[in-house]
Amino acid sequence: MGRLTAIVLGSAAGGAFPQWNCRCPVCQLAWNGDSRVRPRTQVGIAVSGGDGRWTLLNASPDLGEQIRATPRLHPQHELRGSPIDAVLLTGAEIDQIAGLVHVRESTPFTLLATPASHAAVASNAMFAALSAMTRRAVNPGETIMLSGGVEASLFMVPGKAPLYLEGDDPAIGEESAANIGVEFRRNGASLVVVPGAAAVSEAMLARFGRADAVLFDGTLFTDDEMLRNGASQKTGRRMGHMPIDGEGGTLQALAGLECRRIFIHINNTNPMLIDGSPERLKVGAAGWEIAEDGMEIVL
């Protein structure tokens, strides 16, 4: 009987690692070929119940590269075809939807997303080229069946609207259908994925407490990380991401979890990307792993 399997296609935040235009201290190590850091593509996850069909969580700009690097996502038998059955969006940020252009070559798949995310995709005429794509709306609170007997439950996560839609005075930290998490279940096993979170609600804590593994937002180690190194004029919280360390950070908020805990969506400035760094040692001592491209989780 098939097991719930997830492959981390990409583990970095928007811009990947190293970011193409960045010489922050962490990216510079990568440009220098330092063995303590390893390149990462932008976040994507493939989920299967063991039947050879896969659902992708988000479609990053690096999706084509990710498919080529993952043999189980290669075309198998037909002249044209793919084991990719569906793409499920957690939002409509550029790094969540731009990769849809890589799956436009006439092979059918279903795009699963909230009405808010579908509207954002539909507003861009470029995506009209995906003529073989079927759109299916899924609301937060709804549970759907994916290929391979995998159940997926969508839930709202505190966050914000996509950057290109946020306007002059964006609401930060509100729960809405613009930013969701997903719980995947099969045969009693549960994997919860939250690539972006401005905070952790009581409902999220309860869901995490029932899970076997949690993949959670690891964008910045400290809230002012990008301010301090001159990479941005925004804090992590302003961008809709709670920090890992500090008051109200993830290490504090999720300290009581006993399931497997893995950080994903890691920004290029985050020093925990460096093997042996104090930040890496701190998250490891707290029981957290750090996702890498190609990591496989089998439950």
Side-chain angles (χ1 to χ4, degrees):
M1 186 175 293
R3 302 173 69 182
L4 179 61
T5 299
I7 300 173
V8 176
L9 305 178
S11 52
F17 174 73
Q19 185 170 296
W20 69 280
N21 64 344
C22 186
R23 291 184 65 249
C24 72
V26 189
C27 282
Q28 190 59 51
L29 292 177
W31 296 129
N32 292 343
D34 195 302
S35 62
R36 293 174 297 166
V37 297
R38 287 167 294 284
R40 286 167 159 83
T41 58
Q42 295 165 93
V43 166
I45 298 167
V47 177
S48 177
D51 68 339
R53 304 294 293 170
W54 294 83
T55 297
L56 304 186
L57 191 69
N58 294 329
S60 89
D62 302 318
L63 181 57
E65 175 185 350
Q66 293 166 346
I67 290 172
R68 286 185 283 273
T70 309
R72 278 177 284 183
L73 298 183
H74 293 179
Q76 303 294 328
H77 306 294
E78 308 92 340
L79 175 63
R80 290 288 179 93
S82 172
I84 297 169
D85 186 68
V87 178
L88 173 57
L89 301 180
T90 63
E93 290 283 5
I94 292 172
D95 56 328
Q96 295 169 326
I97 65 172
L100 289 172
V101 298
H102 291 288
V103 288
R104 68 187 185 277
E105 302 294 349
S106 303
T107 294
F109 71 96
T110 302
L111 183 67
L112 304 164
T114 65
S117 292
H118 271 304
V121 173
S123 68
N124 190 319
M126 178 176 66
F127 294 119
L130 281 78
S131 58
M133 180 178 73
T134 299
R135 303 169 191 259
R136 177 182 171 188
V138 187
N139 292 302
E142 189 174 347
T143 296
I144 58 175
M145 186 65 70
L146 307 175
S147 60
V150 176
E151 290 183 342
S153 297
L154 281 61
F155 57 95
M156 291 190 292
V157 174
K160 69 173 186 65
L163 178 62
Y164 59 94
L165 296 175
E166 66 178 28
D168 295 331
D169 186 24
I172 307 293
E174 293 185 355
E175 290 188 352
S176 77
N179 188 57
I180 64 165
V182 182
E183 180 179 0
F184 298 99
R185 293 186 302 274
R186 191 178 194 283
N187 291 336
S190 168
L191 170 68
V192 180
V193 185
V194 179
V200 176
S201 67
E202 289 298 322
M204 289 167 63
L205 274 176
R207 190 180 295 271
F208 295 164
R210 301 188 297 266
D212 296 292
V214 173
L215 283 161
F216 192 79
D217 183 354
T219 306
L220 300 180
F221 193 78
T222 56
D223 191 43
D224 64 348
E225 179 180 303
M226 297 182 73
L227 288 173
R228 284 186 288 104
N229 62 29
S232 174
Q233 297 183 352
K234 296 179 182 179
T235 64
R237 287 190 169 91
R238 168 58 183 80
M239 295 187 293
H241 299 283
M242 62 190 295
I244 291 170
D245 202 22
E247 185 67 27
T250 305
L251 293 182
Q252 183 182 84
L254 301 183
L257 285 187
E258 297 181 357
C259 63
R260 186 176 180 187
R261 291 154 285 161
I262 306 168
F263 282 121
I264 198 165
H265 195 272
I266 305 162
N267 199 60
N268 64 88
T269 58
N270 193 325
M272 75 177 184
L273 288 171
I274 307 169
D275 289 345
S277 67
E279 294 83 3
R280 171 69 72 92
L281 295 174
K282 185 168 186 176
V283 298
W288 285 81
E289 302 173 57
I290 298 176
E292 295 198 26
D293 293 19
M295 174 185 279
E296 188 170 325
I297 302 163
V298 181
L299 302 174

